[in-house]
Amino acid sequence: MWKKVYAWLDERIGLQDLYKGILDRPEPKGNWWNTLGSASLFLFVLQGVTGIFLTAYYTPSPDHAYDSITYIMNSVAFGWLIRGIHHWGATLMVVVVFIHLLRVFVTASFKYPRELTWLIGIGLLILTLGMGFTGYLLPWDQRAYWATTVGTSIAGTVPLAGPWIERILRGGETLSALTLARFFSAHIWMLPAALVALILIHLYLVIRLGISNIPRQGE
Ligand code: HEM
């Protein structure tokens, strides 16, 4: 029965070709340092899954945000676990993505023909930091409020465009309900959508170009 379903789908969408193109490749020569990209990908998916669960209870309004987090932590079954994974996973993802970047830098894997993979990687790092920045405000407690006040003020020191960037981020002169709504929207829609798009291009390039070998003398 499953064979028939598979054959039916394969004939229409080419499952066999997809499998051959994406998964059925010779195992690349590498070492543990080459697992950091996949670890980043795993953490991104983990953040996505736990984040989706959190949106079932989180409310992005100044009146309810803090209480909804307290409710998740104390009253929702396994809420503390899901939030804990999301909270620590965010820090871990920044660390792992950064060590992945360092590995790529140390092995000079950013050189021809992988310049684009590197540039897209820089975009991924900026977006990952953006996820951390926007997520930090969501609990709407004192720490979140003042950290974001400082963060957006720093953005305001950019030459020329600074005050304009600060206003866009805050949605006004000071932090308000509009800031929370903006950060929430960026955190669950805009930044993840951009991350998914860039990760797909990043992985396509990794598959197309293969993994670089560590440069050694005489090779
Ligand atoms: C969400 C973040 C990221 C994900 C999910 C990701 C994913 C991956 C994966 C799965 C690989 C192949 C396995 C490996 O060599 O580790 C890879 C390779 C690569 N990544 Fe990333 N990456 C991310 C961020 C970055 C960053 C920040 C940079 C650098 C600025 C970068 C640059 C590269 C390069 C140049 C390669 C090719 C390495 C080679 O051929 O040896 N990536 N990435």
Side-chain angles (χ1 to χ4, degrees):
M1 142 92 169
W2 289 115
K3 269 191 179 163
K4 271 191 182 167
V5 174
Y6 179 82
W8 192 89
L9 282 173
D10 186 32
E11 208 179 335
R12 279 150 189 88
I13 51 181
L15 287 179
Q16 196 67 24
D17 296 343
L18 281 178
Y19 171 75
K20 276 198 186 135
I22 299 174
L23 295 172
D24 192 16
R25 292 171 288 122
E27 186 189 332
K29 250 208 235 158
N31 56 33
W32 281 98
W33 294 105
N34 291 94
T35 59
L36 290 163
S38 306
S40 309
L41 184 62
F42 171 78
L43 286 168
F44 174 68
V45 173
L46 186 71
Q47 289 303 95
V49 172
T50 50
I52 288 171
F53 279 122
L54 287 175
T55 58
Y57 289 95
Y58 175 76
T59 316
S61 86
D63 289 344
H64 302 293
Y66 183 76
D67 290 341
S68 65
I69 299 267
T70 312
Y71 184 71
I72 289 171
M73 292 302 279
N74 299 327
S75 307
V76 176
F78 297 108
W80 57 274
L81 183 64
I82 298 291
R83 183 180 178 227
I85 294 174
H86 198 74
H87 180 92
W88 291 107
T91 307
L92 192 62
M93 185 170 164
V94 172
V95 173
V96 171
V97 168
F98 196 71
I99 305 178
H100 172 54
L101 178 150
L102 285 182
R103 186 295 278 177
V104 168
F105 183 73
V106 168
T107 56
S109 306
F110 51 82
K111 290 186 180 176
Y112 173 86
R114 297 184 178 78
E115 305 94 322
L116 259 185
T117 320
W118 169 268
L119 287 177
I120 287 169
I122 297 288
L124 286 172
L125 178 70
I126 294 170
L127 289 170
T128 305
L129 294 175
M131 287 296 284
F133 183 58
T134 50
Y136 205 83
L137 179 67
L138 303 184
W140 200 251
D141 52 11
Q142 287 290 323
R143 194 164 50 167
Y145 185 92
W146 293 109
T148 306
T149 304
V150 173
T152 46
S153 300
I154 293 173
T157 62
V158 170
L160 300 176
W164 181 73
I165 297 174
E166 188 177 334
R167 261 190 86 85
I168 298 251
L169 286 174
R170 289 184 179 175
E173 291 299 327
T174 53
L175 264 63
S176 66
L178 217 56
T179 325
L180 186 57
R182 240 161 234 220
F183 273 49
F184 180 66
S185 163
H187 189 76
I188 72 157
W189 296 120
M190 302 174 203
L191 297 178
L195 265 163
V196 168
L198 288 196
I199 286 176
L200 288 178
I201 305 175
H202 198 70
L203 294 184
Y204 167 74
L205 290 175
V206 168
I207 291 174
R208 185 179 148 78
L209 302 171
I211 289 297
S212 67
N213 287 321
I214 297 176
R216 293 192 199 287
Q217 222 172 14
E219 275 182 19

